[in-house]
């Protein structure tokens, strides 16, 4: 694809597909050029560095987070919807959770999300400073919940690239950790329940439960 027919949007969309498939370590201009049918130099004509490409890709997927109409719903419903949508987006793009620790992240979509979140908590009745704290608390909770699955994806990819059977290695690790856990009473009790397959796995509904606990706390502050 000649550079004059290649657009920045095409490059970013192809980068997102490559990131979803190969992760941050698998993104390079040569692989991206092959995916686009273009030379790496054609990409540099539009986007100068890999860091810039990751930033643009991150802001593009951030635009997938749904922003509810604050005039048409109560603040808790809106907060739940935004947090859930963000959590789902991070699940679709596990590389993004890891990119927060290695890349500068900013852009119009992220800014729109942040502004909408602050409006949500201010309309709920929080003073501006407390709206900042409420938004940060929920955001960090969502990001923290996304880190575990993202780490599993990254580890599986790394083991496979090393020529190992990732599924077998991880099953062995779970078996070893389970044996260690049997020496501790509360962990042993969970292991011995009929439904237990991995005592370290998050229970079903853990994200939803934790989010509602946080919102309960915020609602209690408002009521005071």
């Amino acid at each position: 694809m000649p550079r004059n027919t290649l657009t920045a949007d095409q490059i970013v969309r192809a980068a997102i597909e490559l990131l979803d498939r190969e992760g941050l370590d698998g993104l390079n201009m040569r692989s991206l050029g092959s995916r686009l049918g273009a030379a790496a130099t054609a990409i540099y004509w539009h986007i100068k560095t890999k860091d810039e490409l990751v930033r643009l890709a991150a802001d593009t997927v951030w635009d997938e987070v749904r922003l509810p109409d604050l005039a048409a719903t109560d603040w808790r419903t809106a907060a739940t919807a935004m947090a859930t949508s963000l959590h789902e987006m991070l699940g679709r793009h596990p590389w993004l959770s890891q990119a927060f620790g290695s890349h500068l992240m900013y852009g119009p979509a992220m800014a729109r999300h942040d502004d909408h979140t602050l409006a949500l908590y201010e309309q709920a009745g929080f003073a501006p400073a407390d709206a900042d704290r409420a938004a940060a608390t929920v955001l960090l909770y969502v990001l923290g919940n996304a880190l575990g699955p993202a780490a599993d994806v990254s580890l599986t990819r790394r083991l496979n690239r090393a020529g190992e059977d990732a599924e077998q290695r991880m099953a062995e690790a779970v078996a070893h950790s389970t044996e260690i856990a049997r020496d501790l009473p509360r962990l042993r009790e969970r292991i011995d329940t009929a439904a237990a397959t991995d005592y370290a796995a998050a229970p079903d509904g853990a994200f939803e439960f934790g989010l509602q606990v946080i919102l309960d706390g915020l609602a209690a502050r408002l009521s005071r």
Side-chain angles (χ1 to χ4, degrees):
M1 185 180 294
R3 76 184 185 189
N4 63 337
T5 63
L6 195 62
T7 67
D9 183 67
Q10 287 174 318
I11 295 169
V12 170
R13 294 292 175 183
I16 292 169
E17 293 175 2
L18 188 57
L19 285 162
D20 289 346
R21 181 182 177 87
E22 302 292 341
L24 286 172
D25 292 339
L27 177 65
N28 59 72
M29 297 306 190
R30 179 173 296 180
S31 297
L32 186 56
S34 297
R35 195 176 192 89
L36 288 164
T41 51
I43 296 172
Y44 286 117
W45 182 259
H46 296 276
I47 297 173
K48 303 304 181 187
T49 66
K50 178 180 174 179
D51 283 351
E52 182 185 0
L53 182 57
V54 171
R55 181 184 66 78
L56 291 170
D59 199 56
T60 298
V61 300
W62 204 270
D63 212 24
E64 296 175 12
V65 180
R66 297 181 296 278
L67 305 181
D69 182 355
L70 302 183
T73 187
D74 64 279
W75 75 269
R76 280 195 65 148
T77 301
T80 300
M82 286 188 70
T84 302
S85 183
L86 175 58
H87 189 251
E88 291 170 350
M89 183 273 281
L90 291 169
R92 290 191 296 271
H93 309 290
W95 53 271
L96 183 56
S97 298
Q98 298 168 322
F100 276 103
S102 57
H103 293 76
L104 296 172
M105 312 288 271
Y106 59 92
M110 294 179 68
R112 283 192 296 272
H113 171 274
D114 293 346
D115 186 75
H116 203 76
T117 305
L118 292 174
L120 185 162
Y121 289 109
E122 287 183 2
Q123 289 185 29
F126 288 102
D130 282 343
D132 286 349
R133 296 184 183 100
T137 298
V138 174
L139 175 62
L140 290 174
Y141 172 75
V142 176
L143 291 177
N145 268 269
L147 282 177
D152 286 345
V153 170
S154 179
L155 176 59
T156 299
R157 188 181 291 122
R158 182 175 68 80
L159 291 172
N160 286 333
R161 283 176 178 163
E164 300 188 57
D165 185 329
E167 185 175 350
Q168 180 180 346
R169 284 290 308 277
M170 295 177 79
E172 291 171 352
V174 169
H176 289 315
S177 64
T178 299
E179 288 307 308
I180 293 170
R182 286 190 180 279
D183 291 333
L184 301 167
R186 291 169 184 82
L187 297 182
R188 183 171 60 249
E189 180 182 351
R190 282 157 176 77
I191 292 167
D192 290 339
T193 60
T197 55
D198 176 5
Y199 80 90
D204 291 342
F207 171 76
E208 295 80 5
F209 175 84
L211 176 60
Q212 293 310 312
V213 167
I214 291 172
L215 297 180
D216 285 344
L218 293 175
R221 292 186 69 86
L222 279 176
S223 68
R224 293 201 297 269

